[in-house]
Amino acid sequence: MARDRREHLVQTALDLFCRDGFHATGIDRILSESGVAKMTMYKHFRSKDELILAVLRRRDEEFRNWFMRTVEGRADTPRARLICLFDVLGEWFGQTDFTGCTFINAAAEYGEADDPIHASAAEHKRLVRSYIGKLADAAGAAEPNALANALTLLIEGAITMAYVAGEKDAAVRARDAAAVLIEASLPANEGTGN
């Protein structure tokens, strides 16, 4: 029962933070929308910052699992998966509840690099880049980290343009640029399984 209350509180806070922002969403609003008592909240979290960190852990787990599972379910080879990253990104942008990147928003609101919330957001970005690096390595890139960094920059730019500028086709444009980078960075498709 206590675990269910905690999970409900985290999910409610996630929904509110994504929609309205971290600073703009107060504890009283989270408690009101979740139906959780203040005493119960403080039993699980000593502060709003602790709740935010739990929200970011939840969002990281949910998003990366969905993103990687979707990419790997739609493309059979590492090379194809590198391109598919952008197709899945476009699907995310098209969701009716798309509110940009929770981690970009968190880092913007908690701008000090040594703030635990900012550090949590940075760790999410590092884990996504690491996944892309593993795909680049499996695809045979001579410099997988360089390719991962370049593709990550395209992804981050597409996220920003989709949310800030409302350009839902940003993933398509980023995919076109990514295809050029991928083609230049990978060996020819010769019997490598790529």
Side-chain angles (χ1 to χ4, degrees), residues 164-187:
V164 175
E167 297 179 11
K168 300 300 183 187
D169 68 337
V172 174
R173 293 194 320 264
R175 183 187 198 276
D176 293 343
V180 173
L181 287 171
I182 291 165
E183 193 60 34
S185 300
L186 300 184

Side-chain angles (χ1 to χ4, degrees), residues 1-9 35-36 40 43-44:
M1 180 75 164
R3 182 81 180 150
D4 292 343
R5 299 294 255 166
R6 183 188 186 282
E7 293 306 308
H8 179 63
L9 182 63
V36 172
T40 302
K43 181 178 162 186
H44 296 290

Side-chain angles (χ1 to χ4, degrees), residues 14 52-68 102-103 120-129:
L14 173 59
I52 291 170
L53 289 169
V55 162
L56 293 177
R57 280 190 296 277
R58 158 87 55 88
R59 180 64 180 152
D60 170 63
E61 183 179 312
E62 288 176 354
F63 181 82
R64 283 189 307 113
N65 284 339
W66 169 79
F67 190 68
M68 292 186 295
T102 305
F103 303 95
S120 181
E123 177 65 5
H124 167 79
K125 296 300 183 181
R126 187 194 69 72
L127 291 169
V128 171
R129 186 176 55 236

Side-chain angles (χ1 to χ4, degrees), residues 20-34:
D20 301 327
F22 294 92
H23 290 312
T25 304
I27 290 295
D28 289 340
R29 176 127 181 262
I30 295 167
L31 295 174
S32 172
E33 298 238 356
S34 68

